[in-house]
Amino acid sequence: MIPKEDHQCTGIIQLLHHFRWTWIGIFAVDNNNGEKFLEKMHPLLSQNGICLAFIERLLQLVHFEDFPEVFQIISMISINLMNSKASAFLVYGESLAIIWLRSLTFLVDPESKETALFRKVWIITAQIDFILSSAQINWDLHMFYGAISLNVHSKEVAGFKEFIQTINPLSVSQDGFLQDVWEQSFECSFPKSELKETYSRKCTGEMKLEDLPAPIFEMEMTGQSYSVYNAVYAVAHSLQALYTLWCHRKKTMIGKKTDLPYIQAWQLHSFLQGISFNNSAGERLSLNEKGEATAFDEIDQFSIFWKSKIISLPKKEKLQTVLNISSFKYFYAYHQVLPLSLCNDPCLPGSWKKGIEGDQFCCYDCIPCPEGKISNQNDMDDCFECSEDHYPNKEKKGCILKLLVFLTFEETLGIGLASAALCFFLLTSWVLGTFIQHRNTPIVKANNRSITYTLLVSLMFCFLSSLLFLSQPGKVTCLLRQSMFGIIFSVAISSVLAKTITVVVAFMATKPGSQMRKWVGKRLAFSIVLSSFLIQVLICILWLLTFPPFPELDMYSELQKMILQCNEGSAFFFYCVLGYMGILAITSFIVAFLARKLPDSFNEAKFITFSMLAFCSVWIFFFPAYLSTKGKAMVAVEVFSILASSTALLGCIFLPKCYILVLRPDLNQRKYNYIHS
């Protein structure tokens, strides 16, 4: 009538796992049943991450000659009770196990000063009935307050409690069992004929079982009582079936002896197998082919004087789905807080569990999470990284959304660069206006006015192109940034190269009989500018058709930020664009350097040499700075290089001329006119 012990073990594991009690102590009766129970529990505990703080075996019988051994056992148990970190104790045994444990703690602490402060949760198996002897009625039982027991299923039987209330051993003659119950429960004695005098109080009819504390005598139908009750009903139904069969045979056996034969117990086995009936409690009870009841387990919570049913747990139901934690009323010392039963304090969020070498896996050290990782729950086996768009907070307990950043006009750096670009654009516009205003003067005419205007206009666009780098990266913006910058700068540098070559060709054309006269004029300069421009355009078209730049989010360069930037698509084409401009600049520098001493009053070669030297220096330093930075800093480096190199061209080539045009017009005269505009 009692469910299999395997189901009970599973229920205990589910209970421990649900409350995360991973460090428990076991008290088991010292016999074969206790050893079998431990053999079943060991692998289940290990598989579910639960460790044993200790195992103590409870003696069934104590002999005075074994007192030294018993005293040692008592000492060890008391140490585990008082000092163990485990807050959950599992007790396996029989009815005397509770009496044995309470007696043991009484011997250790007769005044109960410490036992009430144990703060332990007792988990009692279904084999144990929570009974106490009459000698223990006055003992302090707070240590068992709130004990959890896996009990056999029971149901209230109508009239049972009323029947218990009417029992009186004085009204039933020759019932020695009831007299023993009264004497044990009430510490009294009945008068016996062989004894003339009694030294204890007399048992009277006024003594009632309902007046006893619940741990001494339970007035409700307990699981053990209900099992006995159903067993009697099962036997009765089997006897009824046997009697029905006998009556049927009696009708067919004429002239033979018809008395009911003496029945042996084994003769009922076949009738018990597969039997099904309704008991008086209105519950359907069935036995399988092996005579086993298809029963339920219950998780009950006990206090000293009461027992409250918490839930019914079907065999295949998971405890986590039906258990109501708020139904438990824990020992007062916990202040209604769920107790912990762990080898050590739980690892809080921000740390992870690291096993201690040589100890059980339930014992561990708490190690802070490394940089870039978090743990957001207690007792995590390892820390984990946040998603790409989040970063760990300072305590490493959670993740914070990264800020989306890019270089804009609104921040200080963006405002400074944009202001510089606009100022230099206005300065270049003023220079262009000044040259147009003095277009017929010798200094303007001597240096090829058309190429000069082309250079100044390209420089104006160079300054404006830097503003593309200060806007939010988008599909169109990323396509235009590098290609526009490369094409415009190619026009500017090729214009400088054309001016330099024009100076050299013009000087060579002054020699008698020179064939270079036919190259002097606008045609050569515009051919140089146009060819250089088309080559750069071709490179950019190939770039945009094959691996065009595109916007992307850089999640990794900065821990707390997502950088919105333009991916160049192809590093090869990006460096081809820069490399081509470098070739033009170096060529211009070499030609200008060689022509710097040519005899011309307005020879620009010296100024072009300085401008190209400054230009090349800027872009030489650009590469290591560009490659060593990320995000907004990388964009700022390129914008600064654009502004610096454009300013070098403007300052070195045109400011000296503007000085003459505006402040020293007396120097604006020509003695040798080799170049005609």
Side-chain angles (χ1 to χ4, degrees), residues 369-376 380 382-392 398-399 402 556 559:
C369 289
E371 288 297 325
K373 291 188 175 183
I374 69 158
S375 62
N376 55 4
M380 293 196 67
D382 197 2
C383 301
F384 61 92
E385 294 181 349
C386 295
S387 58
E388 290 184 344
D389 56 345
H390 288 74
Y391 68 94
C399 296
K402 292 182 177 180
Y556 306 105
L559 181 62

mmCIF file with all atom_site columns, all heavy atoms in Angstrom, residues 369-376 380 382-392 398-399 402 556 559:
data_model
loop_
_atom_site.group_PDB
_atom_site.id
_atom_site.type_symbol
_atom_site.label_atom_id
_atom_site.label_alt_id
_atom_site.label_comp_id
_atom_site.label_asym_id
_atom_site.label_entity_id
_atom_site.label_seq_id
_atom_site.pdbx_PDB_ins_code
_atom_site.Cartn_x
_atom_site.Cartn_y
_atom_site.Cartn_z
_atom_site.occupancy
_atom_site.B_iso_or_equiv
_atom_site.pdbx_formal_charge
_atom_site.auth_seq_id
_atom_site.auth_comp_id
_atom_site.auth_asym_id
_atom_site.auth_atom_id
_atom_site.pdbx_PDB_model_num
ATOM 1   N N   . CYS A 1 369 ? 34.420 38.398 -12.141 1.00 0.00 ? 369 CYS A N   1
ATOM 2   C CA  . CYS A 1 369 ? 34.410 38.215 -13.592 1.00 0.00 ? 369 CYS A CA  1
ATOM 3   C C   . CYS A 1 369 ? 35.549 39.008 -14.228 1.00 0.00 ? 369 CYS A C   1
ATOM 4   O O   . CYS A 1 369 ? 35.875 40.111 -13.785 1.00 0.00 ? 369 CYS A O   1
ATOM 5   C CB  . CYS A 1 369 ? 33.079 38.682 -14.178 1.00 0.00 ? 369 CYS A CB  1
ATOM 6   S SG  . CYS A 1 369 ? 31.687 37.608 -13.779 1.00 0.00 ? 369 CYS A SG  1
ATOM 7   N N   . PRO A 1 370 ? 36.176 38.455 -15.265 1.00 0.00 ? 370 PRO A N   1
ATOM 8   C CA  . PRO A 1 370 ? 37.239 39.204 -15.955 1.00 0.00 ? 370 PRO A CA  1
ATOM 9   C C   . PRO A 1 370 ? 36.652 40.377 -16.727 1.00 0.00 ? 370 PRO A C   1
ATOM 10  O O   . PRO A 1 370 ? 35.432 40.505 -16.877 1.00 0.00 ? 370 PRO A O   1
ATOM 11  C CB  . PRO A 1 370 ? 37.842 38.146 -16.898 1.00 0.00 ? 370 PRO A CB  1
ATOM 12  C CG  . PRO A 1 370 ? 36.732 37.168 -17.124 1.00 0.00 ? 370 PRO A CG  1
ATOM 13  C CD  . PRO A 1 370 ? 35.948 37.121 -15.847 1.00 0.00 ? 370 PRO A CD  1
ATOM 14  N N   . GLU A 1 371 ? 37.534 41.213 -17.211 1.00 0.00 ? 371 GLU A N   1
ATOM 15  C CA  . GLU A 1 371 ? 37.099 42.387 -17.962 1.00 0.00 ? 371 GLU A CA  1
ATOM 16  C C   . GLU A 1 371 ? 36.317 41.957 -19.204 1.00 0.00 ? 371 GLU A C   1
ATOM 17  O O   . GLU A 1 371 ? 36.704 41.042 -19.914 1.00 0.00 ? 371 GLU A O   1
ATOM 18  C CB  . GLU A 1 371 ? 38.308 43.229 -18.396 1.00 0.00 ? 371 GLU A CB  1
ATOM 19  C CG  . GLU A 1 371 ? 38.971 43.972 -17.263 1.00 0.00 ? 371 GLU A CG  1
ATOM 20  C CD  . GLU A 1 371 ? 38.037 44.995 -16.624 1.00 0.00 ? 371 GLU A CD  1
ATOM 21  O OE1 . GLU A 1 371 ? 37.236 45.595 -17.369 1.00 0.00 ? 371 GLU A OE1 1
ATOM 22  O OE2 . GLU A 1 371 ? 38.101 45.185 -15.403 1.00 0.00 ? 371 GLU A OE2 1
ATOM 23  N N   . GLY A 1 372 ? 35.217 42.655 -19.435 1.00 0.00 ? 372 GLY A N   1
ATOM 24  C CA  . GLY A 1 372 ? 34.410 42.376 -20.613 1.00 0.00 ? 372 GLY A CA  1
ATOM 25  C C   . GLY A 1 372 ? 33.360 41.308 -20.418 1.00 0.00 ? 372 GLY A C   1
ATOM 26  O O   . GLY A 1 372 ? 32.616 41.002 -21.355 1.00 0.00 ? 372 GLY A O   1
ATOM 27  N N   . LYS A 1 373 ? 33.275 40.714 -19.211 1.00 0.00 ? 373 LYS A N   1
ATOM 28  C CA  . LYS A 1 373 ? 32.291 39.663 -18.959 1.00 0.00 ? 373 LYS A CA  1
ATOM 29  C C   . LYS A 1 373 ? 31.481 39.995 -17.715 1.00 0.00 ? 373 LYS A C   1
ATOM 30  O O   . LYS A 1 373 ? 31.928 40.765 -16.860 1.00 0.00 ? 373 LYS A O   1
ATOM 31  C CB  . LYS A 1 373 ? 32.970 38.306 -18.792 1.00 0.00 ? 373 LYS A CB  1
ATOM 32  C CG  . LYS A 1 373 ? 33.595 37.760 -20.072 1.00 0.00 ? 373 LYS A CG  1
ATOM 33  C CD  . LYS A 1 373 ? 34.092 36.326 -19.885 1.00 0.00 ? 373 LYS A CD  1
ATOM 34  C CE  . LYS A 1 373 ? 34.611 35.741 -21.181 1.00 0.00 ? 373 LYS A CE  1
ATOM 35  N NZ  . LYS A 1 373 ? 35.023 34.325 -21.003 1.00 0.00 ? 373 LYS A NZ  1
ATOM 36  N N   . ILE A 1 374 ? 30.296 39.378 -17.626 1.00 0.00 ? 374 ILE A N   1
ATOM 37  C CA  . ILE A 1 374 ? 29.418 39.610 -16.485 1.00 0.00 ? 374 ILE A CA  1
ATOM 38  C C   . ILE A 1 374 ? 28.815 38.293 -16.020 1.00 0.00 ? 374 ILE A C   1
ATOM 39  O O   . ILE A 1 374 ? 28.904 37.271 -16.712 1.00 0.00 ? 374 ILE A O   1
ATOM 40  C CB  . ILE A 1 374 ? 28.271 40.581 -16.846 1.00 0.00 ? 374 ILE A CB  1
ATOM 41  C CG1 . ILE A 1 374 ? 27.297 39.895 -17.832 1.00 0.00 ? 374 ILE A CG1 1
ATOM 42  C CG2 . ILE A 1 374 ? 28.782 41.882 -17.390 1.00 0.00 ? 374 ILE A CG2 1
ATOM 43  C CD1 . ILE A 1 374 ? 25.929 40.496 -17.856 1.00 0.00 ? 374 ILE A CD1 1
ATOM 44  N N   . SER A 1 375 ? 28.222 38.319 -14.844 1.00 0.00 ? 375 SER A N   1
ATOM 45  C CA  . SER A 1 375 ? 27.325 37.259 -14.381 1.00 0.00 ? 375 SER A CA  1
ATOM 46  C C   . SER A 1 375 ? 26.168 37.958 -13.683 1.00 0.00 ? 375 SER A C   1
ATOM 47  O O   . SER A 1 375 ? 26.381 38.824 -12.846 1.00 0.00 ? 375 SER A O   1
ATOM 48  C CB  . SER A 1 375 ? 28.039 36.297 -13.424 1.00 0.00 ? 375 SER A CB  1
ATOM 49  O OG  . SER A 1 375 ? 28.474 36.966 -12.247 1.00 0.00 ? 375 SER A OG  1
ATOM 50  N N   . ASN A 1 376 ? 24.956 37.611 -14.060 1.00 0.00 ? 376 ASN A N   1
ATOM 51  C CA  . ASN A 1 376 ? 23.777 38.322 -13.559 1.00 0.00 ? 376 ASN A CA  1
ATOM 52  C C   . ASN A 1 376 ? 22.924 37.494 -12.616 1.00 0.00 ? 376 ASN A C   1
ATOM 53  O O   . ASN A 1 376 ? 21.809 37.882 -12.288 1.00 0.00 ? 376 ASN A O   1
ATOM 54  C CB  . ASN A 1 376 ? 22.922 38.810 -14.733 1.00 0.00 ? 376 ASN A CB  1
ATOM 55  C CG  . ASN A 1 376 ? 22.532 37.676 -15.676 1.00 0.00 ? 376 ASN A CG  1
ATOM 56  O OD1 . ASN A 1 376 ? 22.837 36.508 -15.425 1.00 0.00 ? 376 ASN A OD1 1
ATOM 57  N ND2 . ASN A 1 376 ? 21.867 38.020 -16.754 1.00 0.00 ? 376 ASN A ND2 1
ATOM 58  N N   . MET A 1 380 ? 26.838 31.347 -10.638 1.00 0.00 ? 380 MET A N   1
ATOM 59  C CA  . MET A 1 380 ? 27.001 31.000 -12.049 1.00 0.00 ? 380 MET A CA  1
ATOM 60  C C   . MET A 1 380 ? 28.321 30.271 -12.253 1.00 0.00 ? 380 MET A C   1
ATOM 61  O O   . MET A 1 380 ? 29.332 30.599 -11.633 1.00 0.00 ? 380 MET A O   1
ATOM 62  C CB  . MET A 1 380 ? 26.944 32.252 -12.920 1.00 0.00 ? 380 MET A CB  1
ATOM 63  C CG  . MET A 1 380 ? 25.583 32.926 -12.928 1.00 0.00 ? 380 MET A CG  1
ATOM 64  S SD  . MET A 1 380 ? 25.389 34.107 -14.286 1.00 0.00 ? 380 MET A SD  1
ATOM 65  C CE  . MET A 1 380 ? 25.415 33.026 -15.711 1.00 0.00 ? 380 MET A CE  1
ATOM 66  N N   . ASP A 1 382 ? 30.150 30.232 -14.866 1.00 0.00 ? 382 ASP A N   1
ATOM 67  C CA  . ASP A 1 382 ? 31.126 31.019 -15.624 1.00 0.00 ? 382 ASP A CA  1
ATOM 68  C C   . ASP A 1 382 ? 30.487 32.360 -15.972 1.00 0.00 ? 382 ASP A C   1
ATOM 69  O O   . ASP A 1 382 ? 29.263 32.507 -15.973 1.00 0.00 ? 382 ASP A O   1
ATOM 70  C CB  . ASP A 1 382 ? 31.535 30.278 -16.901 1.00 0.00 ? 382 ASP A CB  1
ATOM 71  C CG  . ASP A 1 382 ? 32.824 30.826 -17.490 1.00 0.00 ? 382 ASP A CG  1
ATOM 72  O OD1 . ASP A 1 382 ? 33.417 31.748 -16.874 1.00 0.00 ? 382 ASP A OD1 1
ATOM 73  O OD2 . ASP A 1 382 ? 33.257 30.344 -18.547 1.00 0.00 ? 382 ASP A OD2 1
ATOM 74  N N   . CYS A 1 383 ? 31.334 33.321 -16.253 1.00 0.00 ? 383 CYS A N   1
ATOM 75  C CA  . CYS A 1 383 ? 30.850 34.619 -16.706 1.00 0.00 ? 383 CYS A CA  1
ATOM 76  C C   . CYS A 1 383 ? 30.643 34.571 -18.223 1.00 0.00 ? 383 CYS A C   1
ATOM 77  O O   . CYS A 1 383 ? 31.187 33.697 -18.907 1.00 0.00 ? 383 CYS A O   1
ATOM 78  C CB  . CYS A 1 383 ? 31.843 35.717 -16.338 1.00 0.00 ? 383 CYS A CB  1
ATOM 79  S SG  . CYS A 1 383 ? 32.170 35.851 -14.562 1.00 0.00 ? 383 CYS A SG  1
ATOM 80  N N   . PHE A 1 384 ? 29.882 35.484 -18.738 1.00 0.00 ? 384 PHE A N   1
ATOM 81  C CA  . PHE A 1 384 ? 29.622 35.512 -20.171 1.00 0.00 ? 384 PHE A CA  1
ATOM 82  C C   . PHE A 1 384 ? 29.715 36.943 -20.680 1.00 0.00 ? 384 PHE A C   1
ATOM 83  O O   . PHE A 1 384 ? 29.627 37.898 -19.915 1.00 0.00 ? 384 PHE A O   1
ATOM 84  C CB  . PHE A 1 384 ? 28.247 34.922 -20.499 1.00 0.00 ? 384 PHE A CB  1
ATOM 85  C CG  . PHE A 1 384 ? 27.096 35.657 -19.876 1.00 0.00 ? 384 PHE A CG  1
ATOM 86  C CD1 . PHE A 1 384 ? 26.445 36.675 -20.556 1.00 0.00 ? 384 PHE A CD1 1
ATOM 87  C CD2 . PHE A 1 384 ? 26.668 35.330 -18.600 1.00 0.00 ? 384 PHE A CD2 1
ATOM 88  C CE1 . PHE A 1 384 ? 25.392 37.359 -19.981 1.00 0.00 ? 384 PHE A CE1 1
ATOM 89  C CE2 . PHE A 1 384 ? 25.608 36.010 -18.010 1.00 0.00 ? 384 PHE A CE2 1
ATOM 90  C CZ  . PHE A 1 384 ? 24.971 37.021 -18.707 1.00 0.00 ? 384 PHE A CZ  1
ATOM 91  N N   . GLU A 1 385 ? 29.917 37.057 -21.969 1.00 0.00 ? 385 GLU A N   1
ATOM 92  C CA  . GLU A 1 385 ? 30.058 38.366 -22.590 1.00 0.00 ? 385 GLU A CA  1
ATOM 93  C C   . GLU A 1 385 ? 28.687 38.955 -22.913 1.00 0.00 ? 385 GLU A C   1
ATOM 94  O O   . GLU A 1 385 ? 27.725 38.226 -23.170 1.00 0.00 ? 385 GLU A O   1
ATOM 95  C CB  . GLU A 1 385 ? 30.882 38.262 -23.869 1.00 0.00 ? 385 GLU A CB  1
ATOM 96  C CG  . GLU A 1 385 ? 32.330 37.861 -23.628 1.00 0.00 ? 385 GLU A CG  1
ATOM 97  C CD  . GLU A 1 385 ? 33.126 37.790 -24.918 1.00 0.00 ? 385 GLU A CD  1
ATOM 98  O OE1 . GLU A 1 385 ? 32.480 37.855 -25.974 1.00 0.00 ? 385 GLU A OE1 1
ATOM 99  O OE2 . GLU A 1 385 ? 34.357 37.667 -24.864 1.00 0.00 ? 385 GLU A OE2 1
ATOM 100 N N   . CYS A 1 386 ? 28.617 40.264 -22.891 1.00 0.00 ? 386 CYS A N   1
ATOM 101 C CA  . CYS A 1 386 ? 27.397 40.941 -23.308 1.00 0.00 ? 386 CYS A CA  1
ATOM 102 C C   . CYS A 1 386 ? 27.252 40.827 -24.826 1.00 0.00 ? 386 CYS A C   1
ATOM 103 O O   . CYS A 1 386 ? 28.202 40.479 -25.537 1.00 0.00 ? 386 CYS A O   1
ATOM 104 C CB  . CYS A 1 386 ? 27.432 42.417 -22.900 1.00 0.00 ? 386 CYS A CB  1
ATOM 105 S SG  . CYS A 1 386 ? 27.452 42.698 -21.110 1.00 0.00 ? 386 CYS A SG  1
ATOM 106 N N   . SER A 1 387 ? 26.067 41.113 -25.307 1.00 0.00 ? 387 SER A N   1
ATOM 107 C CA  . SER A 1 387 ? 25.873 41.147 -26.749 1.00 0.00 ? 387 SER A CA  1
ATOM 108 C C   . SER A 1 387 ? 26.706 42.275 -27.351 1.00 0.00 ? 387 SER A C   1
ATOM 109 O O   . SER A 1 387 ? 27.199 43.159 -26.652 1.00 0.00 ? 387 SER A O   1
ATOM 110 C CB  . SER A 1 387 ? 24.392 41.335 -27.085 1.00 0.00 ? 387 SER A CB  1
ATOM 111 O OG  . SER A 1 387 ? 23.894 42.521 -26.495 1.00 0.00 ? 387 SER A OG  1
ATOM 112 N N   . GLU A 1 388 ? 26.844 42.257 -28.652 1.00 0.00 ? 388 GLU A N   1
ATOM 113 C CA  . GLU A 1 388 ? 27.737 43.194 -29.331 1.00 0.00 ? 388 GLU A CA  1
ATOM 114 C C   . GLU A 1 388 ? 27.385 44.654 -29.062 1.00 0.00 ? 388 GLU A C   1
ATOM 115 O O   . GLU A 1 388 ? 28.273 45.500 -29.006 1.00 0.00 ? 388 GLU A O   1
ATOM 116 C CB  . GLU A 1 388 ? 27.706 42.936 -30.843 1.00 0.00 ? 388 GLU A CB  1
ATOM 117 C CG  . GLU A 1 388 ? 28.369 41.627 -31.256 1.00 0.00 ? 388 GLU A CG  1
ATOM 118 C CD  . GLU A 1 388 ? 28.384 41.469 -32.758 1.00 0.00 ? 388 GLU A CD  1
ATOM 119 O OE1 . GLU A 1 388 ? 27.625 42.200 -33.430 1.00 0.00 ? 388 GLU A OE1 1
ATOM 120 O OE2 . GLU A 1 388 ? 29.149 40.647 -33.267 1.00 0.00 ? 388 GLU A OE2 1
ATOM 121 N N   . ASP A 1 389 ? 26.094 44.930 -28.906 1.00 0.00 ? 389 ASP A N   1
ATOM 122 C CA  . ASP A 1 389 ? 25.674 46.320 -28.734 1.00 0.00 ? 389 ASP A CA  1
ATOM 123 C C   . ASP A 1 389 ? 25.549 46.716 -27.270 1.00 0.00 ? 389 ASP A C   1
ATOM 124 O O   . ASP A 1 389 ? 24.944 47.748 -26.961 1.00 0.00 ? 389 ASP A O   1
ATOM 125 C CB  . ASP A 1 389 ? 24.352 46.567 -29.466 1.00 0.00 ? 389 ASP A CB  1
ATOM 126 C CG  . ASP A 1 389 ? 23.268 45.612 -29.008 1.00 0.00 ? 389 ASP A CG  1
ATOM 127 O OD1 . ASP A 1 389 ? 23.602 44.612 -28.360 1.00 0.00 ? 389 ASP A OD1 1
ATOM 128 O OD2 . ASP A 1 389 ? 22.084 45.866 -29.301 1.00 0.00 ? 389 ASP A OD2 1
ATOM 129 N N   . HIS A 1 390 ? 26.080 45.903 -26.350 1.00 0.00 ? 390 HIS A N   1
ATOM 130 C CA  . HIS A 1 390 ? 26.069 46.224 -24.922 1.00 0.00 ? 390 HIS A CA  1
ATOM 131 C C   . HIS A 1 390 ? 27.466 46.056 -24.338 1.00 0.00 ? 390 HIS A C   1
ATOM 132 O O   . HIS A 1 390 ? 28.323 45.378 -24.917 1.00 0.00 ? 390 HIS A O   1
ATOM 133 C CB  . HIS A 1 390 ? 25.096 45.313 -24.169 1.00 0.00 ? 390 HIS A CB  1
ATOM 134 C CG  . HIS A 1 390 ? 23.650 45.624 -24.430 1.00 0.00 ? 390 HIS A CG  1
ATOM 135 N ND1 . HIS A 1 390 ? 23.029 45.294 -25.619 1.00 0.00 ? 390 HIS A ND1 1
ATOM 136 C CD2 . HIS A 1 390 ? 22.696 46.230 -23.657 1.00 0.00 ? 390 HIS A CD2 1
ATOM 137 C CE1 . HIS A 1 390 ? 21.758 45.677 -25.576 1.00 0.00 ? 390 HIS A CE1 1
ATOM 138 N NE2 . HIS A 1 390 ? 21.532 46.245 -24.402 1.00 0.00 ? 390 HIS A NE2 1
ATOM 139 N N   . TYR A 1 391 ? 27.683 46.642 -23.178 1.00 0.00 ? 391 TYR A N   1
ATOM 140 C CA  . TYR A 1 391 ? 28.957 46.496 -22.474 1.00 0.00 ? 391 TYR A CA  1
ATOM 141 C C   . TYR A 1 391 ? 28.683 46.294 -20.982 1.00 0.00 ? 391 TYR A C   1
ATOM 142 O O   . TYR A 1 391 ? 27.626 46.695 -20.474 1.00 0.00 ? 391 TYR A O   1
ATOM 143 C CB  . TYR A 1 391 ? 29.848 47.719 -22.704 1.00 0.00 ? 391 TYR A CB  1
ATOM 144 C CG  . TYR A 1 391 ? 29.358 48.996 -22.059 1.00 0.00 ? 391 TYR A CG  1
ATOM 145 C CD1 . TYR A 1 391 ? 29.798 49.388 -20.789 1.00 0.00 ? 391 TYR A CD1 1
ATOM 146 C CD2 . TYR A 1 391 ? 28.447 49.822 -22.711 1.00 0.00 ? 391 TYR A CD2 1
ATOM 147 C CE1 . TYR A 1 391 ? 29.346 50.559 -20.198 1.00 0.00 ? 391 TYR A CE1 1
ATOM 148 C CE2 . TYR A 1 391 ? 27.977 50.989 -22.131 1.00 0.00 ? 391 TYR A CE2 1
ATOM 149 C CZ  . TYR A 1 391 ? 28.443 51.349 -20.875 1.00 0.00 ? 391 TYR A CZ  1
ATOM 150 O OH  . TYR A 1 391 ? 27.982 52.497 -20.281 1.00 0.00 ? 391 TYR A OH  1
ATOM 151 N N   . PRO A 1 392 ? 29.604 45.659 -20.255 1.00 0.00 ? 392 PRO A N   1
ATOM 152 C CA  . PRO A 1 392 ? 29.364 45.381 -18.823 1.00 0.00 ? 392 PRO A CA  1
ATOM 153 C C   . PRO A 1 392 ? 29.350 46.665 -18.006 1.00 0.00 ? 392 PRO A C   1
ATOM 154 O O   . PRO A 1 392 ? 30.080 47.613 -18.288 1.00 0.00 ? 392 PRO A O   1
ATOM 155 C CB  . PRO A 1 392 ? 30.557 44.491 -18.433 1.00 0.00 ? 392 PRO A CB  1
ATOM 156 C CG  . PRO A 1 392 ? 31.106 43.972 -19.709 1.00 0.00 ? 392 PRO A CG  1
ATOM 157 C CD  . PRO A 1 392 ? 30.841 45.027 -20.735 1.00 0.00 ? 392 PRO A CD  1
ATOM 158 N N   . GLY A 1 398 ? 25.517 43.390 -15.004 1.00 0.00 ? 398 GLY A N   1
ATOM 159 C CA  . GLY A 1 398 ? 24.561 43.547 -16.093 1.00 0.00 ? 398 GLY A CA  1
ATOM 160 C C   . GLY A 1 398 ? 25.196 44.244 -17.276 1.00 0.00 ? 398 GLY A C   1
ATOM 161 O O   . GLY A 1 398 ? 26.377 44.615 -17.247 1.00 0.00 ? 398 GLY A O   1
ATOM 162 N N   . CYS A 1 399 ? 24.415 44.401 -18.318 1.00 0.00 ? 399 CYS A N   1
ATOM 163 C CA  . CYS A 1 399 ? 24.906 45.001 -19.559 1.00 0.00 ? 399 CYS A CA  1
ATOM 164 C C   . CYS A 1 399 ? 24.192 46.333 -19.810 1.00 0.00 ? 399 CYS A C   1
ATOM 165 O O   . CYS A 1 399 ? 23.000 46.472 -19.525 1.00 0.00 ? 399 CYS A O   1
ATOM 166 C CB  . CYS A 1 399 ? 24.668 44.056 -20.730 1.00 0.00 ? 399 CYS A CB  1
ATOM 167 S SG  . CYS A 1 399 ? 25.588 42.495 -20.617 1.00 0.00 ? 399 CYS A SG  1
ATOM 168 N N   . LYS A 1 402 ? 25.370 50.292 -25.558 1.00 0.00 ? 402 LYS A N   1
ATOM 169 C CA  . LYS A 1 402 ? 26.446 51.172 -26.004 1.00 0.00 ? 402 LYS A CA  1
ATOM 170 C C   . LYS A 1 402 ? 25.877 52.414 -26.690 1.00 0.00 ? 402 LYS A C   1
ATOM 171 O O   . LYS A 1 402 ? 24.836 52.355 -27.352 1.00 0.00 ? 402 LYS A O   1
ATOM 172 C CB  . LYS A 1 402 ? 27.364 50.429 -26.978 1.00 0.00 ? 402 LYS A CB  1
ATOM 173 C CG  . LYS A 1 402 ? 28.175 49.311 -26.360 1.00 0.00 ? 402 LYS A CG  1
ATOM 174 C CD  . LYS A 1 402 ? 29.087 48.670 -27.396 1.00 0.00 ? 402 LYS A CD  1
ATOM 175 C CE  . LYS A 1 402 ? 29.955 47.588 -26.784 1.00 0.00 ? 402 LYS A CE  1
ATOM 176 N NZ  . LYS A 1 402 ? 30.844 46.947 -27.786 1.00 0.00 ? 402 LYS A NZ  1
ATOM 177 N N   . TYR A 1 556 ? 33.693 46.947 -31.506 1.00 0.00 ? 556 TYR A N   1
ATOM 178 C CA  . TYR A 1 556 ? 34.775 46.418 -30.687 1.00 0.00 ? 556 TYR A CA  1
ATOM 179 C C   . TYR A 1 556 ? 35.896 47.411 -30.393 1.00 0.00 ? 556 TYR A C   1
ATOM 180 O O   . TYR A 1 556 ? 36.676 47.196 -29.476 1.00 0.00 ? 556 TYR A O   1
ATOM 181 C CB  . TYR A 1 556 ? 35.384 45.181 -31.371 1.00 0.00 ? 556 TYR A CB  1
ATOM 182 C CG  . TYR A 1 556 ? 34.349 44.143 -31.703 1.00 0.00 ? 556 TYR A CG  1
ATOM 183 C CD1 . TYR A 1 556 ? 33.912 43.969 -33.015 1.00 0.00 ? 556 TYR A CD1 1
ATOM 184 C CD2 . TYR A 1 556 ? 33.799 43.350 -30.714 1.00 0.00 ? 556 TYR A CD2 1
ATOM 185 C CE1 . TYR A 1 556 ? 32.951 43.022 -33.325 1.00 0.00 ? 556 TYR A CE1 1
ATOM 186 C CE2 . TYR A 1 556 ? 32.836 42.398 -31.012 1.00 0.00 ? 556 TYR A CE2 1
ATOM 187 C CZ  . TYR A 1 556 ? 32.423 42.231 -32.323 1.00 0.00 ? 556 TYR A CZ  1
ATOM 188 O OH  . TYR A 1 556 ? 31.469 41.302 -32.615 1.00 0.00 ? 556 TYR A OH  1
ATOM 189 N N   . LEU A 1 559 ? 34.982 50.045 -25.742 1.00 0.00 ? 559 LEU A N   1
ATOM 190 C CA  . LEU A 1 559 ? 34.177 49.166 -24.899 1.00 0.00 ? 559 LEU A CA  1
ATOM 191 C C   . LEU A 1 559 ? 32.759 49.668 -24.724 1.00 0.00 ? 559 LEU A C   1
ATOM 192 O O   . LEU A 1 559 ? 31.810 48.889 -24.772 1.00 0.00 ? 559 LEU A O   1
ATOM 193 C CB  . LEU A 1 559 ? 34.852 49.007 -23.525 1.00 0.00 ? 559 LEU A CB  1
ATOM 194 C CG  . LEU A 1 559 ? 34.134 48.098 -22.521 1.00 0.00 ? 559 LEU A CG  1
ATOM 195 C CD1 . LEU A 1 559 ? 34.051 46.679 -23.057 1.00 0.00 ? 559 LEU A CD1 1
ATOM 196 C CD2 . LEU A 1 559 ? 34.843 48.139 -21.179 1.00 0.00 ? 559 LEU A CD2 1
#
